[in-house]
Amino acid sequence: MNTQVEALLKDQINKEFYSAYLYLAMSNYYYGENLDGFGHWFEVQAREEQEHAMKILKYLQDNGVKVELAAIAAPGADFSDYRAPLTAALKHEQYVTSLIHAIYKQARDSDDFRACQFLEWFVAEQGEEEKSTADLIAKFDLLGGDAKGLYLLNAELKNRA
Ligand code: FEO
């Protein structure tokens, strides 16, 4: 396995767990504001990020790489309004996409074809996550402007698996 790809993947485990922690902070914020649908939506995101971290950890383990787990930074949780976590989440996903692309590029440039194949799932996943977050912002902008619309959107989000 290419050593630079290996180092980037190790770091990505931490980034994915941080993403989980960030979304948990957002979920916690919404539950505190009695918007349990939004809280649930971010809880699901947090769980998915943990799965991403575990996928990378397993990949490294399966390839005989020893991984030392680093500390996870505390996420900020001071949001100015109900929309703020949504835009912060989209910005964060775009950042994670740039990280995944950088690892993919390193894998491709160093002929680490196994890593390329492994990372393709993440490339697609990032596209989906950016879209679902952008869709939620669009819905919020359509409905979230008054209490009734916000209530309806919150109710819809409760059903997300
Ligand atoms: Fe696993 Fe959404 O980054």
Side-chain angles (χ1 to χ4, degrees):
M1 195 169 178
N2 177 269
T3 51
Q4 276 166 297
V5 174
E6 190 181 304
L8 288 170
L9 284 173
K10 280 179 181 170
D11 195 43
Q12 193 62 28
I13 294 172
N14 192 270
K15 297 283 200 310
E16 299 290 343
F17 275 125
Y18 175 78
S19 302
Y21 220 28
L22 178 66
Y23 294 154
L24 198 57
M26 291 170 176
S27 169
N28 191 38
Y29 162 76
Y30 283 118
Y31 277 122
E33 298 291 323
N34 295 312
L35 288 167
D36 53 348
F38 285 85
H40 173 70
W41 194 87
F42 274 102
E43 204 180 324
V44 172
Q45 300 308 119
R47 229 179 292 134
E48 284 182 6
E49 297 304 343
Q50 284 181 54
E51 285 167 14
H52 297 170
M54 291 306 297
K55 236 184 213 301
I56 301 170
L57 177 60
K58 282 268 164 263
Y59 177 79
L60 291 172
Q61 288 170 344
D62 288 348
N63 284 280
V65 177
K66 294 233 179 307
V67 177
E68 216 173 292
L69 297 171
I72 303 163
D78 194 14
F79 304 112
S80 55
D81 55 35
Y82 299 152
R83 194 179 187 273
L86 308 180
T87 49
L90 179 59
K91 207 170 147 211
H92 184 71
E93 283 305 325
Q94 288 163 343
Y95 165 65
V96 174
T97 296
S98 75
L99 297 174
I100 295 293
H101 287 183
I103 309 173
Y104 189 93
K105 188 176 186 319
Q106 183 62 48
R108 191 191 59 193
D109 293 350
S110 50
D111 291 349
D112 190 339
F113 304 119
R114 191 183 302 162
C116 283
Q117 196 188 39
F118 170 70
L119 285 161
E120 264 159 32
W121 183 88
F122 284 87
V123 171
E125 175 73 4
Q126 281 311 120
E128 282 172 27
E129 292 197 328
E130 281 189 34
K131 185 184 179 324
S132 66
T133 313
D135 284 352
L136 181 54
I137 293 172
K139 271 189 185 174
F140 185 91
D141 288 345
L142 203 63
L143 297 166
D146 67 28
K148 202 171 168 187
L150 190 63
Y151 177 83
L152 287 172
L153 181 54
N154 184 64
E156 185 195 317
L157 293 174
K158 268 188 243 183
N159 299 320
R160 190 172 187 269

